[in-house]
Amino acid sequence: MDHNKTPLLTELVRYAKEDITSFDVPGHKRGNSLEELRELWSDMALKMDVNSSKRVDNLSHPTGIIQEAEALLADAFHSDHAYMLVNGSTSGVQYMIMSALEQGDKILLPRNVHKSAINALILAGAKPVFIEPEIDYDYGIANGISVKAVMHALDLNSDVKAILIINPTYFGATSNLKEIIDVAHSRSIPVLVDQAHGAHFSFHPDLPENAALLGADLVTLSLHKTGGALTQASVLLHNDGFITKNRVRSTINLFQTTSASYLLMCSIDVARKKLYLEGKERFEKLLNLTRKAKQEINEMNGLQCITRETYRNGVGVFDYDELKLVVKVSDLGMSGFKVYDMLADEYKIQIELAEPNVILAIISLGDNEETIQKLLDALRDISDRFYGKLPKLDTDISVALKNPKMVMTPREAYYHPKRIISIHDASGLISGESIMIYPPGIPLCIPGELISTELIQHYLYLKDEGTITINDDDDPYVIKVVDRSLEENLMDLWYTENHQEDTKFSIKVQEHMHSEKSDFQQIDFFRSETFGTFFTLDGYMMVTEKDEFIYHDMITHIPMAVNPKIKKVLIIGGGDGGTAREVLRYPSIEVVDMVEIDERVVRLCQQYLPLTASQLDQDKRLTLYFEDGLKFVQEADDGYYDLILVDSTDPIGPGEGLFTVAFYNNCKRVLSEEGILINQHESPYYESYAHEMKRAHSKIKETFPVSKVYQFHMPTYPSGHWLFGFASKKYDPIKDIKVDEWNALGIETKYYNTDLHVGCFMLPTYVRKQLDNAK
């Protein structure tokens, strides 16, 4: 195609130059009533501000010059189709989601999406499944997502209907997009890409690859951000396949104005031409200038700048956009917000945004050696003035980079009755709105998410730093929260866990006792009349005072009845303390090493759940280790333990590594010749849980000569029907049970007995078939 052509701009200029008397809109009639703007903008600019007509085509149904301009866009950006957008990439992201999803559909996406994606979820009634992006705690920024994280999320959510990827992130990191697209397409799942900050990716080989060229189904580009067009000018790219062209066009026409700005569309036409014909040469110069600038910044005291060659790690940073200039300034003793204001006020330099640790400057087509040198001179001056004068900042930014707990879908929360309260009083309540710092427009919380104390503190810190906050009210210190007192037949808060898409389990809550986001997970404690105190991790039920004895009896006394002479025990997880409590009832026990990755779980259980945590820090035989259980087992001595109890969460988040072949092989190595392994084995009842159960069992069978499964019934766990795995180098759990020896110990239990011991290994037929077919 001939990219020297600008069909829309050329015809519009011709139209504007003609002596036309206008009796259509816009009402300024070719600038006749806007004398002030004519002086500022010129007569031609106002004459080019026209309305749709046969002559200049119609964006809603283009058949002429707009259609030709969009065909050139599609060719330039390697897609089957392209659509001009005049409401920014906000509209593009929303069109993608609305084109791909229907009411109730699930979408996989990172939590650091722009507010436009959250708003689209509200409009579509879609259910988000958030993947945590990879985090850089040094710079305090979120990067891309790993292929492994996507595959794991898809394994747990086989009904996902679309995946949305941010590529690049605001700070320039890209994910392994090609592999993610291949994985998704192999499962007939379309991939939507927010490439708002990567409109320039197609036009130089040293820049990351364009998502449309890699096969993404829909891609949104902010041509105004890095492509040289006017503000609000964006493009939506579409590749044929899972989503039809008619679906995309009809979705766009649901929302896009019928009075599109021809000035914006002309800027898209020109920007495309320049990118295609001049992009490689111009980006070559800019890349060289930017590389040199980053080298100079990294030689300045107290400043540290991301470079492509040192930052790519293949996981959250598969590739990196070198035209993003991310500078860590906190070593100067100042926040990014302070340096942002200083650059604007003292040096007349406007950068893109600030974060607690960094500032971000975007290098694009309008830059040159002079503009970049001005920024370098300012940063060097700031370094000279402040380096060593202030203590380095150590701001805890973890709360802003972790996924909050989602209690309701965004749509449910948005349309739910709400009340307005002080943000100081919102801890433990469900947000009814999005609150964010702009730029970048990534919400700190969204409708349906639980507001934590730490999030409130971080929000107040950002306000104190003078950032621009956006919420629904004029007062930035109030927030809308879901008013659950107005729900029909509901007078109090209810804890609800989604066991399946159409199955929920709820407990009426008397008090939400505590809520916090640790470095690893969301921790909540509740009190109810029936179940007493209970706590959840990331929204999943862990322990209740009412039924905890069932779980802790069955994980502990089964192996102890098989070998009552066990002396050395390793507990992995078990932060509530119930498993340790039961083990320590045996006088033969000499050593209990309990490895819990999250110390906050232990400390909070000691405070709120003394029923299970009573022996923690109280028995000299018990040693607590707050570290990764996977690493602990890797480094443990051969044959040291007689019993390993894997009391973990589900195989997601912190518990994921405890369900691997490598882990089980290490367990076998550190167990004595009479050693036993008990493993939390999930539920056989619901498909998503049964999938993990079969995976765990198949791996244990490969590792241990004796591998059995036994069942127990837990009222508050999904379906109530749950399993443990029993593995050993020597003992058969039924043939080798020491009935008389164990009963002689006189250990009183509420659930376990030696008759039940034998019976719990007699599994239902459907469970046997699942285990037989486990792969």
Side-chain angles (χ1 to χ4, degrees):
M1 301 184 77
D2 185 1
H3 284 277
N4 285 289
K5 296 175 65 177
T6 52
L8 181 57
L9 174 65
T10 301
E11 181 57 30
L12 195 64
V13 169
R14 185 181 297 118
Y15 183 73
K17 288 180 177 179
E18 294 182 11
D19 184 17
I20 294 174
T21 301
S22 174
F23 284 97
D24 62 349
V25 296
H28 61 73
K29 301 298 177 79
R30 298 165 68 85
N32 290 339
S33 65
L34 296 174
E35 295 84 358
E36 297 88 349
L37 291 183
R38 185 186 296 120
E39 291 182 19
L40 293 170
W41 292 356
S42 83
D43 188 55
M44 178 59 73
L46 292 173
K47 286 183 177 179
M48 290 174 65
D49 183 36
V50 302
N51 194 32
S52 297
S53 66
K54 287 185 178 181
R55 176 82 175 270
V56 294
D57 210 353
N58 188 306
L59 185 60
S60 298
H61 185 67
T63 57
I65 54 175
I66 294 178
Q67 183 183 53
E68 187 178 353
E70 289 185 336
L72 285 164
L73 277 169
D75 184 70
F77 287 99
H78 311 287
S79 62
D80 293 329
H81 312 286
Y83 306 88
M84 290 184 171
L85 306 179
V86 293
N87 194 29
S89 288
T90 289
S91 65
V93 170
Q94 292 175 345
Y95 300 156
M96 290 195 301
I97 292 174
M98 298 291 284
S99 296
L101 302 175
E102 296 180 355
Q103 172 80 25
D105 284 348
K106 281 185 181 179
I107 180 171
L108 203 62
L109 68 171
R111 177 57 181 77
N112 58 323
V113 290
H114 189 266
K115 183 188 177 184
S116 57
I118 305 303
N119 291 347
L121 298 181
I122 293 171
L123 292 170
K127 298 178 180 179
V129 178
F130 287 122
I131 313 174
E132 285 213 1
E134 301 298 314
I135 304 298
D136 186 316
Y137 288 101
D138 183 35
Y139 283 92
I141 59 177
N143 289 321
I145 59 174
S146 68
V147 177
K148 179 182 176 183
V150 171
M151 294 179 69
H152 184 69
L154 290 175
D155 285 344
L156 294 177
N157 298 273
S158 58
D159 53 346
V160 161
K161 299 299 184 183
I163 302 175
L164 173 66
I165 307 293
I166 307 167
N167 204 78
T169 65
Y170 222 122
F171 300 97
T174 68
S175 304
N176 188 347
L177 195 56
K178 180 64 170 69
E179 193 166 338
I180 291 173
I181 291 170
D182 288 345
V183 167
H185 284 180
S186 71
R187 306 186 187 205
S188 300
I189 299 172
V191 176
L192 325 177
V193 179
D194 178 353
Q195 195 176 302
H197 288 266
H200 55 302
F201 280 7
S202 295
F203 305 103
H204 193 282
D206 288 349
L207 293 169
E209 292 189 273
N210 170 31
L213 182 61
L214 294 176
D217 299 270
L218 290 169
V219 183
T220 294
L221 308 173
S222 284
L223 211 58
H224 66 95
K225 294 187 191 300
T226 60
L230 293 177
T231 298
Q232 284 187 228
S234 291
V235 176
L236 178 61
L237 307 177
H238 171 229
N239 283 322
D240 291 324
F242 296 109
I243 304 170
T244 67
K245 179 183 179 181
N246 286 342
R247 176 64 183 259
V248 177
R249 175 62 78 186
S250 63
T251 301
I252 292 173
N253 287 342
L254 276 176
F255 300 100
Q256 183 158 263
T257 177
T258 55
S259 301
S261 168
Y262 278 79
L263 297 176
L264 297 183
M265 291 190 288
C266 282
S267 77
I268 294 174
D269 210 16
V270 176
R272 181 266 315 154
K273 173 186 174 182
K274 285 187 170 294
L275 285 170
Y276 192 89
L277 298 178
E278 305 172 21
K280 185 175 181 179
E281 179 182 354
R282 296 181 69 169
F283 285 127
E284 178 72 21
K285 293 178 181 178
L286 286 172
L287 285 166
N288 288 332
L289 287 171
T290 305
R291 290 163 183 158
K292 180 182 176 183
K294 291 183 177 184
Q295 183 178 354
E296 290 188 32
I297 291 170
N298 281 328
E299 293 172 355
M300 298 177 190
N301 290 325
L303 299 180
Q304 179 182 333
C305 189
I306 292 176
T307 61
R308 185 189 190 198
E309 62 270 16
T310 61
Y311 203 60
R312 288 186 293 182
N313 58 26
V315 184
V317 191
F318 180 77
D319 201 355
Y320 190 75
D321 177 10
E322 294 186 86
L323 297 180
K324 301 295 189 297
L325 208 158
V326 180
V327 185
K328 183 183 177 185
V329 299
S330 54
D331 286 350
L332 293 177
M334 296 184 291
S335 70
F337 307 113
K338 176 68 175 177
V339 175
Y340 175 100
D341 290 340
M342 191 180 299
L343 286 168
D345 297 339
E346 300 181 28
Y347 300 90
K348 304 304 177 187
I349 293 175
Q350 182 61 59
I351 59 172
E352 176 66 13
L353 63 82
E355 292 287 340
N357 291 348
V358 303
I359 58 171
L360 169 65
I362 293 178
I363 310 299
S364 59
L365 292 170
D367 282 302
N368 53 43
E369 189 170 4
E370 181 181 348
T371 64
I372 294 173
Q373 189 60 49
K374 185 176 180 181
L375 176 61
L376 291 175
D377 292 342
L379 291 175
R380 184 175 291 105
D381 188 50
I382 291 172
S383 170
D384 292 342
R385 288 167 59 191
F386 292 98
Y387 179 69
K389 305 291 177 61
L390 300 169
K392 294 181 180 180
L393 286 186
D394 184 20
T395 306
D396 183 7
I397 44 78
S398 60
V399 66
L401 301 175
K402 291 282 190 175
N403 289 355
K405 175 187 174 185
M406 175 154 283
V407 182
M408 307 169 70
T409 69
R411 183 181 180 89
E412 287 170 343
Y414 182 82
Y415 287 107
H416 197 285
K418 290 177 279 290
R419 56 192 174 98
I420 299 175
I421 63 170
S422 168
I423 197 165
H424 297 85
D425 301 325
S427 180
L429 300 178
I430 302 169
S431 179
E433 62 172 297
S434 293
I435 58 172
M436 74 192 74
I437 308 302
Y438 191 87
I442 297 169
L444 294 174
C445 71
I446 66 174
E449 286 181 341
L450 198 68
I451 304 166
S452 67
T453 301
E454 292 77 14
L455 187 144
I456 294 170
Q457 292 171 345
H458 186 69
Y459 176 82
L460 295 174
Y461 157 74
L462 294 172
K463 283 298 301 176
D464 290 342
E465 289 288 325
T467 58
I468 300 172
T469 56
I470 298 177
N471 63 339
D472 287 355
D473 198 278
D474 292 337
D475 183 350
Y477 294 101
V478 300
I479 186 171
K480 290 178 182 175
V481 297
V482 169
D483 187 353
R484 306 201 76 165
S485 67
L486 297 180
E487 293 182 19
E488 185 179 1
N489 299 323
L490 185 60
M491 299 305 294
D492 293 298
L493 175 69
W494 286 71
Y495 160 78
T496 298
E497 181 177 333
N498 292 335
H499 287 181
Q500 294 290 282
E501 282 302 300
D502 58 353
T503 307
K504 296 183 179 183
F505 175 79
S506 295
I507 300 175
K508 188 175 182 180
V509 172
Q510 294 173 316
E511 180 184 0
H512 193 167
M513 303 164 68
H514 184 84
S515 177
E516 72 173 67
K517 184 84 170 181
S518 74
D519 290 339
F520 302 96
Q521 53 210 334
Q522 176 68 38
I523 310 171
D524 290 277
F525 285 80
F526 305 88
R527 180 183 294 117
S528 74
E529 182 175 353
T530 298
F531 288 94
T533 299
F534 63 94
F535 90 100
T536 65
L537 296 179
D538 288 334
Y540 294 99
M541 177 66 75
M542 294 293 115
V543 168
T544 81
E545 287 184 317
K546 176 74 171 176
D547 64 5
E548 59 83 17
F549 69 94
I550 303 172
Y551 182 95
H552 294 128
D553 272 16
M554 293 301 283
I555 194 174
T556 304
H557 301 306
I558 292 282
M560 293 302 298
V562 174
N563 182 13
K565 294 183 174 60
I566 285 170
K567 294 180 179 180
K568 295 178 180 179
V569 181
L570 172 61
I571 301 172
I572 298 177
D576 59 81
T579 299
R581 177 197 66 195
E582 292 303 304
V583 168
L584 290 166
R585 296 174 68 190
Y586 288 85
S588 65
I589 297 297
E590 297 175 357
V591 171
V592 178
D593 290 337
M594 178 174 151
V595 185
E596 167 60 61
I597 197 169
D598 194 344
E599 183 175 0
R600 290 302 295 156
V601 172
V602 171
R603 302 310 177 200
L604 290 170
C605 284
Q606 287 176 316
Q607 180 177 354
Y608 294 106
L609 266 175
L611 176 68
T612 58
S614 58
Q615 294 302 305
L616 302 181
D617 291 331
Q618 300 299 315
D619 194 306
K620 293 181 179 180
R621 296 173 292 172
L622 174 68
T623 304
L624 290 172
Y625 297 89
F626 297 111
E627 58 184 90
D628 183 359
L630 188 64
K631 184 172 182 291
F632 188 93
V633 173
Q634 288 173 345
E635 297 175 354
D637 293 338
D638 292 0
Y640 181 75
Y641 294 104
D642 304 310
L643 173 63
I644 298 177
L645 301 174
V646 183
D647 184 2
S648 69
T649 58
D650 294 336
I652 54 176
E656 184 173 355
L658 305 180
F659 287 74
T660 63
V661 172
F663 172 72
Y664 296 133
N665 278 326
N666 274 312
C667 286
K668 183 181 180 182
R669 177 182 58 80
V670 303
L671 281 170
S672 66
E673 287 306 310
E674 296 186 344
I676 297 172
L677 169 71
I678 303 296
N679 193 70
Q680 196 272 92
H681 229 51
E682 297 291 299
S683 170
Y685 193 75
Y686 293 128
E687 181 180 350
S688 57
Y689 290 92
H691 175 73
E692 297 302 330
M693 176 270 290
K694 289 186 285 186
R695 287 207 308 175
H697 183 64
S698 66
K699 294 168 186 174
I700 293 175
K701 279 198 305 183
E702 293 176 17
T703 310
F704 286 87
V706 179
S707 178
K708 305 284 186 178
V709 173
Y710 62 97
Q711 62 186 337
F712 65 105
H713 298 91
M714 196 75 177
T716 51
Y717 284 6
S719 83
H721 190 193
W722 277 67
L723 307 175
F724 281 120
F726 180 106
S728 176
K729 297 180 178 180
K730 174 181 178 180
Y731 290 115
D732 183 282
I734 300 176
K735 295 178 182 178
D736 296 317
I737 181 176
K738 310 299 189 298
V739 175
D740 294 338
E741 192 174 339
W742 188 85
N743 286 325
L745 293 172
I747 293 177
E748 185 177 344
T749 56
K750 291 180 67 177
Y751 189 85
Y752 174 81
N753 58 62
T754 51
D755 292 332
L756 178 70
H757 180 118
V758 176
C760 70
F761 286 91
M762 306 297 112
L763 301 175
T765 302
Y766 85 98
V767 180
R768 289 182 180 180
K769 287 183 177 180
Q770 288 179 333
L771 294 171
D772 290 342
N773 296 324
K775 295 180 180 180

